[in-house]
Amino acid sequence: MAERNMADGVASQDLVEGAIIAGKLGDVDLVLVRSNGKVCALAGQCTHAGAPLAEGLVAEGTLRCPWHHARFQIETGEALGAPAFAPLDRFSVTEEDGLIRIGDLMPVPSPDVAAGAADLGRVIIVGGGAAGHACAEMLARHGAGASVTILAQDPDGFYDRTACSKQYLAGEAERDELALPAPAGATIRQGVTVTGIDASARTVRLNDGATIAYDRLVLATGASPVAPDFEGADRDDVFVLRAVADADAIVAAADKADSAIVIGSSYIGLEVAASLVSRGLLVTVVSNADVPLEKTAGREIGSMVCRLHQDHGVVFHNGRSVRSWDGATAILDDGTQIAGRLVVAGIGVKPRIDLAEQAGLRCADKSAGGGVVVDEFLRTSDPAIHALGDIAHAPDSRLDHSIRVEHWVVAQRMGQWLARHMLGLIDTPYRDVPFFWSGHYDVNLRYVGHAQSSRNAEIDGDVDRHNFCASFGDQGEEHAMLTCGRDRAALEFERDLVDL
C-alpha cells in the first residue's frame, strides 16, 4: 500500500467511507480514516507490536490491526480490544473545499467514568494472567480501579505471556518489553495463592490464612502445563513453559547447551523449537503425532510447517514418544537414542478448576472439553461468580454449543467484555470470535474461529509459498479460517463471523 506525503493535504475524494490512507507527516507514520462520514487521523502503527494499520480493516467504528487483531476506536484512538492497551495518537483534521489537512497532535482523551463504577461493590479477581489483567485494566480505565483486588499467584507482575515461547525465549525481547499496564487504583497482591472459596459467605481464603470478602468474584485461574511422564521426567533439566520464570529457566539452561529435545509438536512446542534454533541450538522434536499441527491445521499445512522447521535444521521423530531421559540421552519407544542437553515438554495444558470444584460450581465433563460452565454472560452456576479465559466453558452461538478455548487474546477479550458488562456499558451477551497467532521463523499463522477438526479443510492459495487461506467447517458452513500471508482475509472472516 503506497504511502503519501500528507503535508500538503489529501483530496477528499480519495478518502471514501471505510477506506484507509497511509502517509507521513514529517517523520510520523499515520493513517487517515473516514468512518461514519467523519475523517480521523491516527498513528499508523499498532501500539501492541507495531503492525502497519494501513493494512488493517475498518469495522463498526473501529480500526483493526492486521497482525494480532487489536481494535482501536477510530474517533478517540482508544484501544478497545486486546492485545493492545495503549491508545493511538490522534491528530487534528480539517476538511474544506475538497481538501483534508492534518494538524497538530491532540491530547489523549480519558475514557468516561462509567455510571456503574460507584455501585460495583468489592470485585475480587483470582489470577493475574490474560483474563484477570484485562478485566481489571478495563474496570480501572473506567474509574472502578479502587473496587478491584487482584490475587495473582505469579509473582512476576503483568506481562505478555505469548512472548515467552517466541521473542523472549529467542532472545529478541527484553523482560521489560513484556510488561502490561498495571490497573490504576486496584489493590494488587502477587505471589499469593487462593486456597478456598466460601460461596455462602462470599469470601476467599489465602495461603496465609487470611480471608477477603467479595461482592463479585472473577475466577481467571488459567491452565497448568501437562507434566511429561517418562523415566527421568523429574530431573531439573526437564522443563515446561507457561510463565516467564519458566522461560528464564530454559534460557539459563540453553546458554550452557548446544542441543535440546522438544517433546510435542503443538504450536507452543514448535515455537519453542524455533526460538532455541535462534539461540544456536540443535533441536530435535519428538511427537506422538504423525504430522505436526494436523489436528487444527490439517495434514497439508502441518507438513509444510514441519518442512519449514527441517529447513532450519530441526530433526523430527514423529509418531514416537520418550521412554527415558538421563540428562544426556533420550531413549524413544522404538529404541532410538537422541543426544541432548535439556528437554522442553510442550504437550498441552489442563484448566485449573480446583477452586471452582471446591466451591461447588458446575464444571463440564472432560469429554466435552472440561472447564467451568458459564452462561452467555460468563456467569457460573453461582451468579456472584464469573469464570474467564482458559477455564471458561462458554456458549458459542455460531456453533450452537459451548466450547473451552485456550487462546491468549480470547482470555483478554473475555476479561474486557466482563468489565464493560459489570459497569453497565454493554448488555449484550459475550460473542467475541476466537483468535490466535503462531510464529515460526519468518512465517506467521493466524487462526480465526473454532472448528472441531481439520478434516474438511478447503485451501485457497499456495501452502508451500506461505500464501493461503484454509477454511474449516462442516455441512458447507465455515467455522474457522487459518491464514498465512493473507492478514486482510483473516480480519474480514473475523468481522463476518461476529454477524452470524
Side-chain angles (χ1 to χ4, degrees), residues 133 141 161 168 205 282 293 313 317 347 373 433 447 460:
H133 166 264
R141 194 188 304 184
R161 200 176 63 235
Y168 185 65
R205 184 176 63 257
L282 299 175
L293 310 182
H317 291 266
I347 52 177
V373 174
V433 176
Y447 190 101
D460 175 61

Side-chain angles (χ1 to χ4, degrees), residues 199-252:
S200 59
R202 292 194 176 182
T203 61
V204 297
R205 184 176 63 257
L206 305 186
N207 55 319
D208 63 3
T211 60
I212 303 177
Y214 66 83
D215 296 300
R216 305 182 194 221
L217 179 63
V218 178
L219 296 181
T221 47
S224 298
V226 174
D229 183 18
F230 52 80
E231 183 182 342
D234 57 347
R235 291 176 53 90
D236 59 9
D237 50 15
V238 177
F239 304 91
V240 294
L241 177 58
R242 185 68 175 178
V244 68
D246 299 325
D248 287 338
I250 294 170
V251 168

Side-chain angles (χ1 to χ4, degrees), residues 324-386:
S324 66
W325 163 252
D326 63 6
T329 304
I331 300 177
L332 305 190
D333 56 339
D334 64 352
T336 300
Q337 297 188 21
I338 302 171
R341 303 299 297 171
L342 68 143
V343 173
V344 183
I347 52 177
V349 298
K350 53 186 178 182
R352 299 179 61 195
I353 61 172
D354 50 325
L355 280 176
E357 290 178 325
Q358 175 266 323
L361 302 180
R362 182 185 171 203
C363 293
D365 190 82
K366 289 182 180 179
S367 63
V372 182
V373 174
V374 297
D375 64 12
E376 67 272 24
F377 295 99
L378 305 181
R379 294 175 299 212
T380 69
S381 51
D382 181 332
I385 304 176
H386 297 263

Side-chain angles (χ1 to χ4, degrees), residues 377-455:
F377 295 99
L378 305 181
R379 294 175 299 212
T380 69
S381 51
D382 181 332
I385 304 176
H386 297 263
L388 304 176
D390 293 353
I391 67 170
H393 190 83
D396 188 314
S397 59
R398 292 167 291 270
L399 301 174
D400 292 327
H401 62 80
S402 291
I403 58 175
R404 189 179 64 81
V405 178
E406 297 166 354
H407 304 336
W408 180 257
V409 169
V410 171
Q412 290 179 313
R413 299 272 177 85
M414 278 186 169
Q416 292 180 319
W417 178 91
L418 179 60
R420 293 191 185 103
H421 178 66
M422 284 181 169
L423 293 168
L425 299 176
I426 52 175
D427 58 7
T428 54
Y430 173 79
R431 278 183 51 83
D432 222 310
V433 176
F435 167 74
F436 74 90
W437 72 91
S438 184
H440 306 264
Y441 312 101
D442 59 347
V443 174
N444 289 288
L445 305 175
R446 324 242 185 246
Y447 190 101
V448 180
H450 182 85
Q452 297 288 67
S453 77
S454 62
R455 287 193 300 270

Side-chain angles (χ1 to χ4, degrees), residues 55-141:
E55 299 174 13
L57 180 73
V58 173
E60 297 179 338
T62 64
L63 178 58
R64 304 187 177 188
C65 168
W67 291 356
H68 308 120
H69 294 204
R71 301 169 189 170
F72 299 91
Q73 188 175 59
I74 292 172
E75 189 168 344
T76 66
E78 181 184 355
L80 293 179
F85 289 93
L88 294 173
D89 284 340
R90 301 180 305 146
F91 299 82
S92 61
V93 175
T94 59
E95 184 174 18
E96 295 178 341
D97 300 325
L99 190 67
I100 301 168
R101 291 188 180 276
I102 299 95
D104 296 332
L105 180 67
M106 299 174 65
V108 176
S110 298
D112 294 335
V113 174
D119 302 321
L120 200 56
R122 299 162 296 182
V123 179
I124 302 295
I125 300 175
V126 182
H133 166 264
C135 184
E137 192 278 338
M138 187 61 72
L139 287 170
R141 194 188 304 184

